[in-house]
Amino acid sequence: MTILRVLGSAAGGGFPQWNCNCRNCVGVRRGTVRATPRTQSSIALGDGQHNWLVVNASPDILAQLRASPALQPARTPRDTGIVGVVLMDAQIDHVTGLLMLREHRQALPLYASAAVLSDLSTAFPLTHMLSYYCGLETHTLALDGSAFTVPPLADIALTAIPLESKAPPYSPSRNAHRVGDNIGLRIVDRTSGKRAFYAPGLARIESHVFEELSAADVVLVDGTCWRDDEMLALGFSTKTAADMGHLAQSGPGGMIETLDRLPAARKILIHINNTNPILDEDSPQRRELDAHGIEVAYDGMEISL
């Protein structure tokens, strides 16, 4: 049985964001909004035998590991249950946690697309920086629909699915999309046959992406913004959600409308921005999600496949 554990469920900056005084952030600090703090988005896949694959290495990874004792089995004086890391993209909130793992006792296995590995060896040279510490054992993900495994997790079949979102602002391909700048991850437990699809950054529902969503028993998808103009309306940004590579939940063609079309999947939003009203558990937007059978991920959430 594969265990999927949500290590972090917020978008970049976490919730509350350190410098933000939006209604949600102020409310959760003062206890006037019924909401739960969240760290930046990441999941882990485990086999129930102390072996865990981390998917996206959040800047909050040390706090996430402290909150997840199963990932630190303490079998030796220096130990970890982490057997590797898979990256969905090269966004700062998904890769800088690698620096926090620099004390790993051998090269850390890292799985990412050629586009992501390119950014991490040039524009943001984590591979070079970490060569002075544990080092990275890099594996380039195929984008042709073929499955791969991360030893010793032989019963978890993974497939990288190219999708449309945005490369990081620092990337040379920010406005010149390369296939592999962003991927989703198909996760299949070979014993049970159960299937999940994870896509924390998703700008558009292309036909092959909808096929993945439709075939999954569990989907964890981009929950960044409720409205496309959310950050604009609050005066926090000059960009829409779409400009930043995220599909908003509300409105025609939004994530809610897409998830309503799925047959019987368990539908979960992840990578939730601090401004999103769904973080307020008493909000009308949260009630609307409940009415559509859509869940909101939280840190520590566990799903069995």
Side-chain angles (χ1 to χ4, degrees):
M1 178 180 68
T2 298
I3 301 167
L4 188 160
R5 180 177 175 87
V6 175
L7 298 179
S9 51
F15 174 63
Q17 184 171 305
W18 67 280
N19 66 340
C20 184
N21 292 301
C22 70
R23 177 183 179 275
N24 284 342
C25 290
V26 169
V28 77
R29 288 190 196 105
R30 295 178 178 173
T32 57
V33 168
R34 193 162 68 95
T36 302
R38 288 165 163 83
T39 59
Q40 295 167 92
S41 73
S42 173
I43 64 170
L45 304 172
D47 61 359
Q49 300 179 25
H50 303 306
N51 299 307
W52 292 88
L53 175 66
V54 171
V55 184
N56 286 338
S58 156
D60 298 320
I61 193 165
L62 298 184
Q64 293 168 347
L65 293 177
R66 285 193 292 272
S68 306
L71 274 72
Q72 172 48 276
R75 297 162 293 194
T76 60
R78 287 285 179 96
D79 194 22
T80 178
I82 298 173
V83 299
V85 176
V86 175
L87 298 178
M88 301 288 95
D89 52 47
Q91 298 285 351
I92 283 177
D93 52 313
H94 289 159
V95 304
T96 47
L98 292 170
L99 294 170
M100 301 299 103
L101 302 179
R102 63 189 179 275
E103 296 95 351
H104 200 258
R105 298 188 67 184
Q106 57 273 332
L108 180 66
L110 180 71
Y111 298 77
S113 70
V116 168
L117 291 175
S118 173
D119 281 342
L120 297 186
S121 63
T122 55
F124 187 21
L126 285 181
T127 52
H128 176 68
M129 286 187 273
L130 285 169
S131 70
Y132 293 96
Y133 300 93
C134 64
L136 296 172
E137 176 193 301
T138 58
H139 302 262
T140 304
L141 296 179
L143 301 176
D144 59 2
S146 56
F148 69 99
T149 58
V150 175
L153 300 171
D155 288 336
I156 304 177
L158 305 169
T159 307
I161 307 297
L163 49 79
E164 186 174 320
S165 185
K166 285 275 191 178
Y170 70 79
S171 171
S173 68
R174 174 67 169 183
N175 297 307
H177 174 69
R178 298 171 298 185
V179 175
D181 278 330
N182 300 270
I183 64 167
L185 194 64
R186 180 198 304 161
I187 304 159
V188 179
D189 183 285
R190 285 178 164 156
T191 302
S192 68
K194 294 289 187 179
R195 179 165 167 169
F197 184 64
Y198 176 58
L202 186 54
R204 189 165 67 89
I205 309 297
E206 302 165 274
S207 58
H208 73 281
V209 173
F210 187 73
E211 289 173 9
E212 290 294 329
L213 294 171
S214 299
D217 298 288
V218 180
V219 299
L220 293 101
V221 290
D222 194 332
T224 308
C225 291
W226 179 259
R227 287 171 41 178
D228 188 51
D229 66 349
E230 186 172 304
M231 298 288 282
L232 278 170
L234 291 170
F236 291 158
S237 176
T238 59
K239 297 178 181 178
T240 65
D243 290 336
M244 294 183 285
H246 301 288
L247 179 64
Q249 281 117 60
S250 61
M255 194 64 78
I256 293 174
E257 189 175 282
T258 298
L259 296 179
D260 277 348
R261 295 166 58 199
L262 302 186
R266 184 175 175 187
K267 297 165 278 194
I268 305 168
L269 297 175
I270 196 166
H271 192 272
I272 303 149
N273 198 55
N274 62 88
T275 57
N276 194 326
I278 65 174
L279 289 170
D280 178 352
E281 297 174 24
D282 297 318
S283 67
Q285 292 85 356
R286 190 63 171 266
R287 290 195 294 273
E288 184 172 346
L289 290 184
D290 291 343
H292 287 268
I294 300 171
E295 300 174 60
V296 178
Y298 56 88
D299 295 16
M301 183 183 213
E302 284 199 354
I303 299 161
S304 297
L305 297 177

